Amino acid sequence: MSDYQAPLRDILFALDTFCDLDEIAALPGFEHADRDTVAALVEEAGRFMADVVAPTNRVGDEVGARLVDGEVVTPPGFADAYGRYVDAGWGGVPFDPEYGGGGFPWAVGLVLQEILTSANMAFSMCPLLTQGAIDMLSHHGSTEQKQTYLPKMITGEWTGTMNLTEPEAGSDVGALRTRAERAEDGSYRIVGTKIFISFGAHDMAENIVHLVLARTPDAPPGTKGISCFIVPERLVGDDGSLGERNDVRVASIEHKMGINGSPTCVLSFGDDGGAIGYLIGEENAGMAYMFTMMNNARLSVGLEGLALAERAWQPTLRFAHERLQGRAPGAPRGESSPIVEHPDVRRMLLTMKAYIDAMRALLYLNAASMDRAAHHPDPDVRERSQELVDLLIPLSKAWSTDLGSVVTSLAIQVHGGMGYVEETGVAQHYRDARITSIYEGTNGIQAMDLVGRKLPMRAGGVVADHLGRMREVLDRLDGELSDAGVQLAAAIDATEAATRSVLERGAADPSDALAAASPYLRILAVTTGGWLMARQALAARDAAAGARSDDERTSLEGKVAVARFFMEQLLPEVHGLVPAATAPAAGLYAVDPSVLAP
């Protein structure tokens, strides 16, 4: 047993409210994804992940992955759980039926990914990296490459990796040095070193399909000279059988702050003359190909923030009800109160829950917009949906991963001293969450992407449409939601002014936009969260009027209360960030770095 259970009621509410499952199921190819089918699928996933995957979380942290005689050994229980995961077919649910996938919407796949990641984030890294490799090959692989690799990767029998980072080329991918030389048979010989490769080697699958960025001898410098290659751990015969080991070895695995069950490998390619690789698409197009999968990858990393926040929330709420300490206001003298009755603990719990609901709303909306952008029959809807995806991706990744650290830290705080010791388990979630704001482009890079690429879309028209969309909900915020509506209106006004400032000053001096990037991203994300929580409040209020049971009504009324808390107490953060988002870059350079030395 574990302390995690999938929050099915919250998940289905978010799917209904922010994805509109009925509309998604009406899109071409998704007719089988009706609400009842999806609900049954999510329920079964929740049972499987709680029973099979979640119990491996603690041992994964305590034992970790190990390098033994040049081979990576995963923690006890990982290989068995992964085998059962493959047998159940969970990895293929959102992928192309032509290659054995289930053909479900990406929004449904994201839900399953949330449950898996909450169950064990370190374990989930293996399917997550495989998902990215599948996405890349689906878009850019040749017919032969797809037929060779996708069926086994979609089932999970073979796993995948993405090999970008090198010792001297972190976020600056254009500085990579791994080289690829063409052989007479049309394949390539890959030589170089890659670092930070999650599940770059392990004992859970019979083959690992590495996607490797490298340079051909006559490639131009920088990102324009990067190509992408398939480098299987074991070579694949014409009949699909596995052959000899490729020239790839594990040089070491990292000793990390968290996600200890996930082997983060240093991989050496070509120590014995060159690893055999196969070019994807055309030479020098590798970075362009990578960008086609970037939105999905960044959404998935943002989801890790939500998943760990949910995993930390559940035991924290139980602890707050069970832990007796002090006397709460109004409690009988001589009796200790559950700490949930203390105002400051109640504030922390509401903050955790409000952020979790807001993250889930944002991420699910983003995934559903991806489905519309890819499958809606109306080209105008596809275009507008893709614009919304592009705008929301930096928020989904950066804000959600920042909040993952905030919420898991609050979990420790609610536990008090017991949270700081490892025995209670909540410290692991905080340690695991910290990497997420670094993955897939640090959050500073997400902010730069927002102000440099996304705000200027359609000359500012895309963000203007988004602000207008948020204003549409204001007229409905009446009655007990009136004060929340006032706060949301003020936040939208502040966000609009900050947006105008960033666009105008950035056009004159890009340094000003870059200096404003991180606080501006937070402004737009928090305001978007407030808009989504307004939608949550309205949907829950309407549904509560027709609730079929007292339990359902109580749950929906709780949704309204949590949304109000977000809009009335968390949303005003926007106003404190405006000065930082509208200040010129000169303030960052007013002090010489040498003055900061001790």
Side-chain angles (χ1 to χ4, degrees), residues 72 166 176 209 315 362 414 596:
V72 171
E166 298 183 8
L176 66 81
V209 181
L362 174 62
V414 172
L596 303 177

Side-chain angles (χ1 to χ4, degrees), residues 92-115:
V93 169
F95 290 111
D96 191 343
E98 182 178 353
Y99 299 102
F104 276 80
W106 199 254
V108 175
L110 195 79
V111 170
L112 304 187
Q113 187 179 325
E114 177 197 331
I115 298 170

Side-chain angles (χ1 to χ4, degrees), residues 323-328 331-339 341-342:
R323 173 64 168 166
L324 302 178
Q325 185 169 318
R327 184 169 70 91
R333 293 185 178 276
E335 294 184 11
S336 295
S337 301
I339 63 171
E341 298 300 333
H342 293 289

Side-chain angles (χ1 to χ4, degrees), residues 124-192:
S124 77
M125 293 297 297
C126 185
L128 173 61
L129 270 296
T130 303
Q131 171 185 297
I134 291 170
D135 197 19
M136 162 72 86
L137 287 175
S138 296
H139 282 93
H140 302 293
S142 67
T143 299
E144 181 182 358
Q145 289 170 342
K146 292 177 184 179
Q147 292 173 345
T148 299
Y149 296 102
L150 287 182
K152 292 286 190 180
M153 295 174 72
I154 285 173
T155 63
E157 294 170 85
W158 298 354
T159 64
T161 69
M162 308 299 294
N163 287 250
L164 288 74
T165 307
E166 298 183 8
E168 302 302 322
S171 297
D172 183 11
V173 180
L176 66 81
R177 299 177 180 176
T178 296
R179 65 184 189 273
E181 296 189 2
R182 189 178 179 91
E184 291 184 0
D185 63 359
S187 64
Y188 289 74
R189 298 299 176 266
I190 313 298
V191 178

